[in-house]
Amino acid sequence: MGLPFRLFTAAYTFVMMSIALFILTCGILGKKIKGRPLVVFCVVSQVLQWLGFLWPILLYFLGANDELEMASAFDIVTYTPVVLFLGWQLAHTFRMPFLHTFTAAVLASFIGNTSNSVMALVVERYSPLFDRQYILAFVLLYIPYTLTIGVAWLASFILRRSEFYRYFSALFRSRTRAVLTFLICYGLMCMMPILHTLFPGIDPNAEYGVLIFSFIIVGLFCIQFVAMYTAGQDRIKAQEETILQQQAHMALLEELQQEIRAFRHDFTNLFSGLTLQAQEGDLAGIQEFMKRTSGYFDEKLGNEIAQMDGLSNIELYPLRSLLTTKLAKMRQQHIKGVLEVIRPVNRDQTMDADDLLRAVGILLDNAIEAAAKRNGLVRVVLLQEEKQLYLAIANNYDVTPDMAALARKGYTTKGSSHGTGLSSYRRIVARCRGCAMRTYLKDGMFVQELHIPTI
C-alpha cells in the first residue's frame, strides 16, 4: 500500500476514535453533544495521536521489538494526553469540575478502546483472506473503527436512559471518592494494553470477545452500584438535613406566633390607656403612644416578619432552608440576624446548586463565629438582578480582621483544626465561570460579597 493511503487510513481511524470518545464521555456526563467542541477535540486529538507515533519508535530503539508491547505502550501513552485534553475541554464547556470530566473521559476511553480492540481482533480472525491489501485494510480497519461510533452511540443512549450520570456525579461530592473513582477508571483504561503485554499469545476468538465485553459490563455495573449506594447515602443525609431545616422553619413560625400573642396582649393594655387619653383630649399623649407602639412593633415583630418575607422570596428551596437553619442558629446564640431579599431569587444561576449551598454555608458559619460576643449582628443581603445574583454577608466583630492574612491559604483564628473553609470557598468560586468575590471592611462590618452570573 502507498504512503498516502496509509496516512489517510491512520487519520480516519484517529477521527473515528475521537468521535466515539467524545460521544461516550458526553453520555457518561449526561450532556448534549456540541458540534464546535467536538470539532476542536477531533483536531487536537489528531495532533496528539500523530505525536504518539514517536513512542513506538523510541521503544524500538530501546529494545522493545515486540509489536504488541509497542502497541500497548502506544495506547497508554497516547490516550492519556487525549483524555486529559478532553477532560479539560469539557470542564470548561459544561462548567464542571475537572476531575469529574477527566474521569468520565478515562472511562469512555476504556469502553471505546476495548470495544474497538475486540471488534478488530474478531474481524481479523473470522474475515476471509484477500489478495488485495486495500480490501484487507478496509475489512480490518475501516469496518471496526466505523462500528465503534455505533457502539458509542448505543452505550451513550443506554447511559442516558439509565441516568447513569446522576449516580456517577455522586462519586465526586467527596475528594477522596473522586480520586478513588479516577484511579479505578484509569486502571480499567490500561487493562487491555496490559493484557496484551502479559499474554501476547491470546487467541482472539468469539469467547475472548465475550470475556472482554463482560469486563466492560461488570466494570460499569460495579461503578454504577457504588455510585447508586453513594447517592442513596447522600440522599438520606440530605433528607435528614431537610428535616432539621424544616424543624427550624417551624420553630421560627412558632416563635413568631408567640410574639404575636404577646404583642396582642400588650397592645390591649396599651390601647386601654389610649382610650382614656382620647377622652381627655390629650393629643400629645396620643402621638407619644403611637410612636412608642410603632417602635415596640418593630422591636418585637418587625425583624421576624421581614425574615419571613425574605425567605418567601427565595424560590430555590434548599437555599431557603439553609438560611432558615442559620437564622435559627443565630437566635440560639443571641446574634441578631437580618435578612434582606429585595427581589425574588430564581433558580437560573450558573453556579451548581450544591456549590452555592456550600459557599453560602461557609460564609454564614464564618460570620456567625466571627460576630461580636455582645450585640452580635449578621446581615444577609440577596439581590436578584437580570444578569447576576448579588450576595453579601456582613458581620460585626470584636477584633479587626487581618485582611492581608485572609488571603493566605489555611489562615484561621480558630485553632489548628480550622482554616479550610475559606480555601474551599475560593475553590468553589474559582470553578464557576464568571463568578467574582470581594472582601472588605465597612462601617465596623466585615463584608463578603459574591456575584454569580445568571444562565
Side-chain angles (χ1 to χ4, degrees):
M1 290 185 289
L3 180 61
F5 181 78
R6 292 175 182 268
L7 295 177
F8 175 79
T9 300
Y12 180 82
T13 58
F14 290 163
V15 170
M16 293 297 103
M17 285 303 301
S18 299
I19 295 175
L21 182 57
F22 193 92
I23 292 172
L24 279 168
T25 306
C26 290
I28 293 172
L29 295 174
K31 300 296 183 179
K32 292 183 179 179
I33 300 172
K34 295 185 178 182
R36 185 176 179 181
L38 174 59
V39 173
V40 172
F41 172 67
C42 288
V43 172
V44 175
S45 177
Q46 278 274 352
V47 175
L48 293 175
Q49 291 182 83
W50 280 109
L51 292 175
F53 272 128
L54 299 176
W55 285 99
I57 298 174
L58 178 62
L59 289 175
Y60 178 80
F61 284 108
L62 293 177
N65 298 320
D66 195 318
E67 294 182 0
L68 284 174
E69 183 180 346
M70 290 191 292
S72 301
F74 172 77
D75 289 339
I76 296 176
V77 174
T78 300
Y79 274 97
T80 296
V82 169
V83 297
L84 185 65
F85 173 79
L86 179 58
W88 174 84
Q89 182 191 34
L90 294 183
H92 283 72
T93 301
F94 299 124
R95 296 175 181 175
M96 300 177 66
F98 168 71
L99 189 59
H100 189 172
T101 56
F102 184 29
T103 305
V106 169
L107 184 59
S109 178
F110 159 67
I111 298 173
N113 284 324
T114 304
S115 303
N116 175 264
S117 299
V118 172
M119 287 188 293
L121 292 172
V122 171
V123 167
E124 181 180 1
R125 176 178 175 82
Y126 292 102
S127 62
L129 296 176
F130 296 94
D131 294 333
R132 298 184 63 186
Q133 294 182 348
Y134 292 101
I135 300 178
L136 182 63
F138 178 80
V139 173
L140 298 183
L141 294 176
Y142 286 81
I143 291 179
Y145 279 90
T146 304
L147 290 177
T148 302
I149 294 184
V151 173
W153 274 111
L154 178 61
S156 179
F157 175 77
I158 294 174
L159 291 171
R160 289 176 184 273
R161 291 299 298 269
S162 63
E163 296 187 342
F164 175 80
Y165 62 92
R166 296 183 182 274
Y167 305 111
F168 188 71
S169 299
L171 296 173
F172 294 87
R173 293 173 185 169
S174 165
R175 180 170 296 273
T176 302
R177 290 185 303 197
V179 172
L180 182 60
T181 303
F182 165 74
L183 294 176
I184 293 174
C185 292
Y186 190 80
L188 290 174
M189 186 185 79
C190 299
M191 182 186 67
M192 194 68 154
I194 292 174
L195 285 177
H196 285 173
T197 303
L198 297 178
F199 306 102
I202 291 180
D203 185 17
N205 52 24
E207 290 78 10
Y208 172 76
V210 171
L211 176 64
I212 296 301
F213 274 105
S214 299
F215 283 160
I216 297 177
I217 295 173
V218 171
L220 289 177
F221 175 79
C222 291
I223 291 176
Q224 182 157 6
F225 175 79
V226 174
M228 290 177 66
Y229 175 80
T230 303
Q233 295 298 313
D234 291 342
R235 190 178 300 112
I236 292 173
K237 183 178 179 181
Q239 290 174 349
E240 292 176 349
E241 292 178 352
T242 300
I243 293 173
L244 293 175
Q245 291 167 357
Q246 290 175 345
Q247 290 175 348
H249 190 66
M250 292 300 297
L252 177 61
L253 292 176
E254 291 176 359
E255 183 178 345
L256 180 59
Q257 186 179 26
Q258 292 175 0
E259 292 288 350
I260 291 174
R261 288 176 178 174
F263 178 77
R264 179 185 176 185
H265 180 269
D266 294 342
F267 184 79
T268 301
N269 295 331
L270 293 172
F271 194 79
S272 299
L274 178 65
T275 303
L276 181 60
Q277 288 176 318
Q279 291 175 352
E280 295 177 353
D282 186 4
L283 181 60
I286 294 175
Q287 291 176 344
E288 179 65 23
F289 169 80
M290 297 299 296
K291 182 178 179 180
R292 285 187 288 107
T293 302
S294 177
Y296 181 80
F297 179 84
D298 289 338
E299 179 184 354
K300 289 291 184 181
L301 298 176
N303 188 39
E304 284 79 2
I305 293 176
Q307 287 183 5
M308 296 299 297
D309 290 340
L311 291 172
S312 64
N313 270 336
I314 301 176
E315 299 176 2
L316 188 61
Y317 180 75
L319 179 59
R320 183 196 305 177
S321 299
L322 174 65
L323 289 172
T324 303
T325 304
K326 298 305 180 182
L327 289 171
K329 182 178 180 181
M330 294 177 200
R331 287 194 300 275
Q332 292 174 358
Q333 299 183 12
H334 305 289
I335 297 174
K336 183 180 180 181
V338 179
L339 174 64
E340 298 179 22
V341 184
I342 301 175
R343 299 190 186 98
V345 176
N346 55 45
R347 301 179 178 88
D348 300 329
Q349 317 302 331
T350 56
M351 181 178 287
D352 182 75
D354 292 337
D355 285 343
L356 176 60
L357 294 178
R358 282 194 288 268
V360 175
I362 291 171
L363 294 181
L364 285 172
D365 288 338
N366 288 343
I368 293 172
E369 292 188 23
K373 301 304 179 184
R374 295 185 61 185
N375 299 322
L377 172 63
V378 174
R379 185 181 298 274
V380 182
V381 178
L382 288 169
L383 175 58
Q384 180 70 67
E385 299 178 343
E386 182 179 355
K387 295 184 178 180
Q388 70 170 357
L389 170 64
Y390 169 80
L391 168 69
I393 298 177
N395 63 272
N396 59 0
Y397 47 81
D398 292 321
V399 180
T400 304
D402 187 348
M403 302 301 294
L406 283 172
R408 295 199 301 266
K409 182 178 180 181
Y411 170 78
T412 179
T413 60
K414 308 169 191 174
S416 59
S417 60
H418 297 79
T420 59
L422 286 177
S423 299
S424 300
Y425 169 68
R426 283 191 282 265
R427 284 197 299 268
I428 292 172
V429 176
R431 64 172 175 252
C432 178
R433 182 180 298 178
C435 289
M437 61 181 183
R438 182 187 175 202
T439 303
Y440 58 93
L441 300 176
K442 182 179 181 181
D443 299 332
M445 302 289 286
F446 176 73
V447 185
Q448 297 209 73
E449 293 181 356
L450 177 61
H451 300 260
I452 306 172
T454 56
I455 297 176

